[in-house]
Amino acid sequence: MIVKQNQELYMEAERFITRCYTELGKSQEIQSRLQAIEGSIQETSQYVHTFEELEHGAKMAWRNSNRCIGRLFWDKLHVLDKRDLSTPNEVATALFDHISYATNQGNILPTISIFKPQAHGKDQVRIWNHQLIRYAGYETENGIIGDPHSILFTKVCQEMGWNGDGTRFDLLPIVIQTSGNPPTFYALPKDIVLEVPITHPSLEAFASLDLQWYALPLISDMLLEIGGIQYSAAPFNGWYMGTEIGARNLADLNRYNQLPEVARILGLSTERESTLWRDKALVELNIAVLHSFKQAGVSIVDHHTAAHQFQLFEKQEKEKNRALTGDWTWLIPPVSPATTHIFHQSYDDRMVTPNYYYQAKPYK
């Protein structure tokens, strides 16, 4: 029998293997695989996923991600197995390869790179960045330059010896830590990062705002859990929904706060809120983002299309007799949410595994 401290791991493995192999049409192999896992846990207090288990487990985790509106495409995830890499240099090279592969010259491929799992509760690989591609934020005498969200991490990078150019759109380095060793930073090669200048389809003056954004949203600080095994470094990406950039990154007061500038370009009076100048500016900013990405040949989806796609996902899950989970507060788009079916529904927000989980920042 498995000793008491490993019983929970085996139970998690049993739940995952049973569901995974059933979905893959390999039910006849469940018992033999569980016997092998039981033996491994007895000997080493852990077990190793096959690539097939890793691949389908990562896809299941996307399918179970309560906050993601783009789950219709969960089974199209490209899984890159990087569990054999140990050194920061190897990890950095793999991350650069991920960026190039997933960017795919603008035809974004949903992709995840999975590195060594935790061993005895300790990280073997940890990426300090929230996103692999992100702009720096600087506190200056003349106010904040760049992305306010990045101020703390920018300071951490500077303390490590990194220096940016001090512009609004400096690419932060990637910070990697392996097996508890001191972190190492790597500058992002600019030739692998696709960035999109933001222009408007009918307002030429919009270009004077000198706005841009990167093509690839690549989350890199979440923990992937599959069958009781925890992968503390498993960066993943899809493609952008336009409102993520146009209604949040560039519009939020505590981010780039560009709505007053857009209103100026539009000639709107900002003296009274009742003129709804913010709403008008917000719509035009989102139009500009969608236009610019499409003009550059970069994958992006508008929030209405994304909501329709989520409705198809809901239908598919019902047909498969799988319980649908979701976080309503994240699923509704930040622009015109009441025009989508999501706004008028409720969702079960319980966490189902496999899944992605937030981790404490290692530099706090």
Side-chain angles (χ1 to χ4, degrees):
M1 293 294 292
I2 296 179
V3 293
K4 185 176 180 180
Q5 58 265 36
N6 292 327
Q7 186 66 33
E8 184 177 349
L9 175 58
Y10 178 76
M11 291 175 63
E12 291 291 341
E14 183 179 36
R15 281 191 287 268
F16 165 66
I17 293 298
T18 300
R19 176 148 222 177
C20 175
Y21 278 48
T22 300
E23 291 186 9
L24 293 173
K26 301 174 65 174
S27 299
Q28 70 279 5
E29 299 180 27
I30 292 175
Q31 289 307 312
S32 60
R33 178 59 178 138
L34 288 177
Q35 288 175 1
I37 289 174
E38 182 177 17
S40 178
I41 293 176
Q42 284 177 336
E43 293 181 13
T44 66
S45 297
Q46 59 187 5
Y47 72 99
V48 178
H49 288 129
T50 66
F51 175 73
E52 189 175 40
E53 293 164 2
L54 186 77
E55 180 181 48
H56 196 67
K59 292 178 178 181
M60 291 170 71
W62 185 9
R63 190 178 73 201
N64 292 333
S65 297
N66 291 4
R67 294 181 170 184
C68 181
I69 196 175
R71 286 180 273 169
L72 176 65
F73 307 99
W74 69 270
D75 59 346
K76 304 299 189 296
L77 182 66
H78 295 244
V79 179
L80 307 180
D81 185 356
K82 302 298 180 181
R83 291 176 292 174
D84 60 328
L85 306 183
S86 299
T87 70
N89 287 349
E90 291 174 333
V91 174
T93 298
L95 295 178
F96 297 157
D97 290 343
H98 180 141
I99 291 172
S100 298
Y101 176 81
T103 300
N104 192 32
Q105 298 180 316
N107 185 20
I108 306 297
L109 300 174
T111 304
I112 185 170
S113 292
I114 304 176
F115 295 91
K116 287 181 179 293
Q118 291 182 348
H120 307 295
K122 295 183 179 180
D123 297 341
Q124 296 193 75
V125 178
R126 186 70 189 273
I127 301 165
W128 284 24
N129 307 62
H130 168 56
Q131 294 185 23
L132 288 189
I133 303 171
R134 196 72 161 182
Y135 296 124
Y138 308 97
E139 288 181 319
T140 74
E141 294 179 353
N142 298 317
I144 296 172
I145 296 175
D147 192 343
H149 186 273
S150 300
I151 288 175
L152 177 57
F153 186 62
T154 300
K155 290 178 180 177
V156 170
C157 293
Q158 290 173 323
E159 290 170 359
M160 295 176 62
W162 175 81
N163 287 297
D165 295 328
T167 75
R168 290 199 297 168
F169 299 106
D170 286 355
L171 292 171
L172 284 163
I174 293 175
V175 178
I176 299 165
Q177 188 172 24
T178 58
S179 300
N181 296 312
T184 306
F185 75 86
Y186 297 84
L188 269 177
K190 291 186 177 181
D191 61 338
I192 69 170
V193 178
L194 179 57
E195 296 174 280
V196 179
I198 307 300
T199 60
H200 193 280
S202 60
L203 298 169
E204 291 185 11
F206 207 97
S208 67
L209 299 178
D210 291 324
L211 299 178
Q212 65 183 53
W213 206 256
Y214 48 88
L216 193 68
L218 215 173
I219 302 296
S220 53
D221 61 352
M222 295 188 76
L223 180 145
L224 168 63
E225 188 274 328
I226 301 174
I229 302 297
Q230 297 183 328
Y231 298 91
S232 53
F236 61 90
N237 71 272
W239 47 79
Y240 268 118
M241 184 167 72
T243 53
E244 295 178 88
I245 304 169
R248 301 303 310 277
N249 298 337
L250 294 177
D252 279 355
L253 286 171
N254 60 347
R255 298 295 297 285
Y256 279 82
N257 190 26
Q258 288 298 296
L259 292 186
E261 292 300 311
V262 174
R264 178 179 59 80
I265 293 296
L266 295 172
L268 302 175
S269 170
T270 60
E271 293 181 1
R272 291 180 292 113
E273 297 291 353
S274 60
T275 64
L276 302 186
W277 66 268
R278 295 184 193 276
D279 306 75
K280 295 176 183 177
L282 188 64
V283 169
E284 295 300 334
L285 180 53
N286 279 272
I287 289 172
V289 168
L290 292 169
H291 161 77
S292 301
F293 270 63
K294 291 179 179 179
Q295 189 175 56
V298 176
S299 303
I300 196 167
V301 64
D302 66 88
H303 52 290
H304 295 292
T305 300
H308 290 314
Q309 291 171 346
F310 189 73
Q311 195 167 33
L312 290 176
F313 172 71
E314 294 178 75
K315 181 180 178 182
Q316 286 184 4
E317 293 304 285
K318 184 176 182 180
E319 291 173 349
K320 293 290 185 179
N321 293 316
R322 288 193 290 255
L324 179 76
T325 60
D327 184 341
W328 183 90
T329 62
W330 276 68
L331 291 175
I332 56 170
V335 175
S336 305
T339 63
T340 70
H341 80 283
I342 298 172
F343 182 85
H344 306 280
Q345 305 221 142
S346 60
Y347 297 92
D348 181 358
D349 193 21
R350 63 191 170 89
M351 293 294 288
V352 178
T353 61
N355 217 315
Y356 301 95
Y357 297 88
Y358 291 102
Q359 305 182 86
K361 297 184 185 302
Y363 52 87
K364 283 191 176 182

